Amino acid sequence: MTPAGGRPGGAPSSPAAAGTTKPGSPPDEPHTYQVRTEDDLLTVRHAVRAASQDLGFPLVDQTRVVTAASELARNALVHGGGGTVAVEPLHRPGGVGLRLVVSDKGPGIADLEGALTDGFTTGSGLGHGLGGAQRLMHTFDVCSSPGAGTTITAVRWRTR
Amino acid sequence: MTANEPTARARLTRVLAQRQAETADHWVQLQRERQLYGPGMDEDALREEADGLVAALSDGLAAELPIERVVVGHPPLREAVRELSLRRARAGTSPTETSLAVLALKEALLETVEQEDLGTRALLELALVINRLLDAAGALSFETYVEGREEIIQRQSRQLLELSTPVVHLWQKVLAVPLIGNLDTARSQVVMENLLEAIQSREASVAIIDITGVPTVDTSVAQHLMQTVKAVRLMGADCVISGVRPGIAQTIVQLGIDLSDILTRATLADALATAMNLTGERNDEAEVRRLS
Ligand SMILES: Nc1ncnc2c1ncn2[C@@H]1O[C@H](COP(=O)(O)OP(=O)(O)OP(=O)(O)O)[C@@H](O)[C@H]1O
Ligand SMILES: [Mg+2]
C-alpha cells in the first residue's frame, strides 16, 4: 500500500524519475502515469499533490490542481476506458506552473460544448467534472474527435 | 496408455484398499519430516485429512474413470484435494509447501506398493500409474490454493474497510463518522451502511460526517456524500458535514456543486454545537406536541 503522507516529490513510476528536485536540478521532465483502475487515480492525485508542493503552490491551489487532475483522470478511466496522465513542472521566464496532459484512446467527446456544461452527463455522474476542471485551471485545451480518443492539456500557474 | 496399465491399476486398487491406514500414516510422516504444513495445523488435523483423502482415492481408483480423470471426476476425492489446499491457504502454508505435500502422497503410495513382492517391471508400471493419477491432484491443488488466497485477501480488505470507518457515538442522539483517506464507491457504500444501521440502533437524530481526513473532494466524492446525506434524511435524521477546509470549500464552489441545502461546518466542534441545537429543537417540538 502507498504510504499516505509521502515525501514531496516522492518516487513516481517512470524510470526517468531518478533524482528529483535538488537546487539547480535537471530540466523538468514530464512523468507519465497509467490510469487503468480506481487505485491509479490515487497514484495520480499523490503525484500531482507532490509536484505542486515542490513548485511552491499555495495549499488552496494544490487542492485545485489535484482536484482537476482527479476529474480528468477519472473521465479518462470511466468514459475513455483508461489512459495516461503526464505531470510536467514548467519553469518559464514568465512564471512557474504545472501542466497536466490527460490522454485516452476512447470514443472521444461527441458534443464538447455540451460536455463542458454543468449537469451534462452521459453516465451517472453529476456532470460537473469537465467544466469544473476547466475552471480550476488557467489554460484548458481539449483535443478530441469521435473514435480517436481525447487529449486534454491544462496548465495552472503559480500565483502569489 | 500402455498395454499393462489396466493390470497395474487393478493391482494398485487392490493394494491400496488393503493398506489405506498405512499409506495415510506414511504420508503424514513425510509431511511432518519436511514441515510441509503451516503453524495453524496440528497433527490430528493432518492425520484426519490424510485418512479421508486416501480413502477417497481408494474409492476413486475402483470407479470407472480414466486414470488421469480420477481426481477431478470422483467428487469425494476432488473435494478432499480442494479442502486440503484451502485449509493450507488459510493456515498460511506457502504454495510450494502445499504442492510438495500433495507430491509427498506419490512417495507414500510408492512405498506402499514396494511392500508387495513385485518385479521391477511391475513396480515401474505402478509408478507410472501413480504419477498419472496424482498429477491432476497437483494442478487442482494449486488452482484451489490460489482461490483460497484470493478469498482471504478480499475478506481482509473488507475488514480493513469496516475498521477504517467507525461510527462514533458523540453525544445523546448524535453520531459522527470521521472519514480518513479516499472516499471511493466501495468505501462510501460501507460508510452509508454502517451509519444507517447505527442511526437505527442508537436512535440517533443527527449524523455528522467529518471530512477533515479526506484529502480531495472531487465531483465523485461530492456525489457520494450527497447520496449519504439523502439516505440519512430518509431515515428521519439530520446530517451535518464537518471539516470543510477553505481549499475544499473553494474547490467545491468552482466545480459548481451546490451543497447549499446541506448543513456544512468548518470543524467538528462547530458541527457538534449545531447538532446539539438540532436535537434540542427536536426535543422542544416533542415537548410542544406532548403538551398540546
Ligand atoms: N475522456 C472522455 N472521453 C469520452 N467522453 C468524455 C470524456 N470526458 C468527458 N466525457 C463526456 O463528457 C461528459 C461530461 O463529463 P463530466 O466530467 O463533466 O461529467 P461526468 O464524468 O459524467 O460526471 P462527474 O460530474 O462525476 O465528472 C461525460 O458524461 C462524457 O459523456
Ligand atoms: Mg467526470
Side-chain angles (χ1 to χ4, degrees), chain A residues 71 75 79-80 104 108-109 115 120-123 125-130 150, chain B residues 219:
Chain A
E71 295 298 346
N75 280 353
H79 308 296
D104 65 65
I109 303 176
F120 177 99
T121 177
T122 56
L126 295 175
H128 282 246
L130 201 59
T150 302
Chain B
T219 55

Side-chain angles (χ1 to χ4, degrees), chain A residues 57-107:
Chain A
F57 275 51
L59 194 59
V60 172
D61 289 348
Q62 291 174 24
T63 305
R64 287 190 166 106
V65 190
V66 171
T67 308
S70 182
E71 295 298 346
L72 298 177
R74 186 186 305 280
N75 280 353
L77 177 67
V78 174
H79 308 296
T84 56
V85 177
V87 180
E88 185 179 9
L90 304 174
H91 293 277
R92 298 286 158 80
V96 166
L98 192 65
R99 172 154 57 202
L100 306 172
V101 183
V102 184
S103 252
D104 65 65
K105 295 199 167 17

Side-chain angles (χ1 to χ4, degrees), chain A residues 45 64 70-71 124 128 135, chain B residues 218-219 223 250 254-256:
Chain A
R45 287 199 291 262
R64 287 190 166 106
S70 182
E71 295 298 346
S124 56
H128 282 246
R135 289 187 291 271
Chain B
D218 60 7
T219 55
Q223 192 179 20
Q250 291 182 51
Q254 274 183 304
L255 285 174

Side-chain angles (χ1 to χ4, degrees), chain A residues 1 38-39 42 45 49 59-60 63-64 66-67 70-71 74 118 124-126 128-129 131-133 135-136 156, chain B residues 160 182-185 215-223 226-227 246-248 250-251 253-258:
Chain A
M1 212 189 241
E38 179 101 9
D39 282 348
L42 218 71
R45 287 199 291 262
R49 170 79 62 187
L59 194 59
V60 172
T63 305
R64 287 190 166 106
V66 171
T67 308
S70 182
E71 295 298 346
R74 186 186 305 280
D118 282 350
S124 56
L126 295 175
H128 282 246
R135 289 187 291 271
L136 289 166
R156 185 164 180 105
Chain B
L160 208 68
N182 177 36
L183 191 67
D184 60 12
T185 311
T216 314
V217 178
D218 60 7
T219 55
S220 149
V221 171
Q223 192 179 20
M226 285 155 77
Q227 281 164 352
I248 302 263
Q250 291 182 51
T251 309
V253 170
Q254 274 183 304
L255 285 174
I257 295 168
D258 183 11

Side-chain angles (χ1 to χ4, degrees), chain B residues 94-291:
Chain B
S94 77
T96 313
E97 286 163 347
T98 305
S99 29
L100 287 177
V102 174
L103 291 179
L105 177 58
K106 278 190 187 176
E107 268 178 70
L109 276 175
L110 278 173
E111 300 224 8
T112 302
V113 298
E114 274 168 10
Q115 309 287 316
E116 301 281 306
D117 206 5
L118 296 168
T120 326
R121 177 88 217 158
L123 272 178
L124 183 64
E125 291 289 346
L126 275 175
L128 286 175
V129 166
I130 290 172
N131 265 315
R132 299 185 58 183
L133 174 68
L134 287 182
D135 281 346
L140 177 62
S141 158
F142 184 70
E143 224 172 76
T144 319
Y145 181 93
V146 172
E147 263 173 47
R149 295 304 300 178
E150 276 168 5
E151 175 197 303
I152 289 169
I153 292 168
Q154 276 177 10
R155 193 177 54 230
Q156 284 174 342
S157 64
R158 273 199 305 275
Q159 284 168 349
L160 208 68
L161 264 179
E162 304 203 352
L163 273 180
S164 55
T165 50
V167 178
V168 190
H169 199 173
L170 262 195
W171 196 257
Q172 245 190 337
K173 294 187 173 283
V174 181
L175 298 177
V177 207
L179 294 179
I180 294 165
N182 177 36
L183 191 67
D184 60 12
T185 311
R187 182 100 189 285
S188 90
Q189 203 62 40
V190 174
V191 169
M192 173 123 70
E193 277 165 24
N194 290 355
L195 183 57
L196 297 185
E197 247 169 56
I199 288 175
Q200 187 173 37
S201 64
R202 307 286 182 110
E203 299 179 359
S205 54
V206 184
I208 301 173
I209 302 175
D210 185 73
I211 60 167
T212 308
V214 178
T216 314
V217 178
D218 60 7
T219 55
S220 149
V221 171
Q223 192 179 20
H224 289 139
L225 287 174
M226 285 155 77
Q227 281 164 352
T228 308
V229 172
K230 212 184 258 176
V232 168
R233 286 180 180 164
L234 274 176
M235 296 204 48
D238 288 315
C239 201
V240 183
I241 295 182
S242 69
V244 183
R245 308 182 295 286
I248 302 263
Q250 291 182 51
T251 309
I252 289 177
V253 170
Q254 274 183 304
L255 285 174
I257 295 168
D258 183 11
L259 294 184
S260 60
D261 69 333
I262 297 178
L263 284 174
T264 54
R265 293 292 178 265
T267 67
L268 189 54
D270 292 345
L272 181 58
T274 305
M276 286 163 70
N277 276 337
L278 284 171
T279 55
E281 275 169 29
R282 282 179 174 236
N283 287 341
D284 293 347
E285 273 169 35
E287 189 75 355
V288 169
R289 267 202 306 276
R290 198 173 60 82
L291 293 175

